Amino acid sequence: MSEIVTFKKYPDVVQARELKEFLLKNNIECYLADNEPSVDSFIVGTPMTDYEVKIKQKDFEKATVLVEKRSAGMLNNIDPDYYLFTFTNEELYDILLKQDEWNEFDYLLAKKLLTERGKTVDVDMISSLKKQRIADIAKKDPNEKVWMVAGYILSLLGGFIGIIIGYMLWKSKNSLPDGKSVYSYTEKGRSHGFTIFCIGIIVTVISLLYRFNLYTS
């Protein structure tokens, strides 16, 4: 059975539903996931809900081609005031590098504008940018040790945040542009995360039982 992976993320549910309907019409099985903010987004102070369109891994390439073809058909009817026309070449190349953060139309328009400006946009360059992007996203969180120290301290103190940090270190993943995902932290960090999570649970349970005994004695 093919793995279910994230195809696209949107902050707007309307866009997510529109893409889902398009894929279903083209016989690609897909699902819409309404994701609440992740535990680590709360910790770093930027909680936001996103809407994920999920498909089977085996359909990822087919879906990508379909969506790009649909967007390509819109390139001939562009408002002259469209904001991408004011972008510098460096900003347009950044769109190509971070394709996963942009919609398909903007990605294709960035390629078109760079080509019209006489800049290099070929298959080899796009392939190189994709590899670079995957490598960038796959990098482990450099703050791993800080989270580990904070996790141990807070879990031993019986704080719920300690449990959250442990779970984050243990389970957090980064979604790659090709639909695959990798863990956000190293094997060592994930092992410590599991330990922190367990300590937090045990300390919390003991604390609750102690308080319960105080109230009932």
Side-chain angles (χ1 to χ4, degrees), residues 64-151:
T64 300
V65 172
L66 283 170
V67 170
E68 287 192 358
K69 282 184 177 180
R70 180 185 64 164
S71 298
M74 302 165 58
L75 292 178
N76 296 322
N77 298 300
I78 309 173
D79 188 324
D81 293 326
Y82 196 69
Y83 70 104
L84 247 60
F85 286 109
T86 64
F87 275 36
T88 64
N89 293 336
E90 290 73 19
E91 289 172 326
L92 293 174
Y93 273 121
D94 194 57
I95 293 177
L96 301 191
L97 173 63
K98 300 176 181 177
Q99 180 184 358
D100 52 294
E101 295 182 357
W102 295 80
N103 62 52
E104 296 76 22
F105 178 78
D106 284 347
Y107 173 73
L108 293 175
L109 179 56
K111 286 181 20 178
K112 183 174 184 289
L113 291 175
L114 285 168
T115 301
E116 291 176 348
R117 294 177 186 180
K119 299 301 178 180
T120 302
V121 182
D122 56 29
V123 174
D124 290 337
M125 191 205 72
I126 296 297
S127 176
S128 177
L129 288 175
K130 287 183 177 180
K131 289 179 181 178
Q132 180 183 336
R133 180 60 172 165
I134 289 174
D136 288 343
I137 296 176
K139 288 180 180 177
K140 304 306 180 184
D141 190 333
N143 297 315
E144 178 176 282
K145 290 184 178 179
V146 176
W147 288 123
M148 285 165 55
V149 172

Side-chain angles (χ1 to χ4, degrees), residues 40 43-44 136-148 168-169 172 174 182-186 189:
D40 48 330
I43 294 173
V44 298
D136 288 343
I137 296 176
K139 288 180 180 177
K140 304 306 180 184
D141 190 333
N143 297 315
E144 178 176 282
K145 290 184 178 179
V146 176
W147 288 123
M148 285 165 55
M168 177 189 74
L169 286 165
S172 287
N174 294 330
V182 294
Y183 285 107
S184 304
Y185 299 93
T186 64

Side-chain angles (χ1 to χ4, degrees), residues 2-5 29 31 54-60:
S2 183
E3 180 185 2
I4 301 297
V5 298
E29 185 178 350
Y31 313 89
K54 294 179 173 288
I55 62 176
K56 292 182 178 179
Q57 177 69 57
K58 68 180 182 65
D59 293 327
F60 199 92

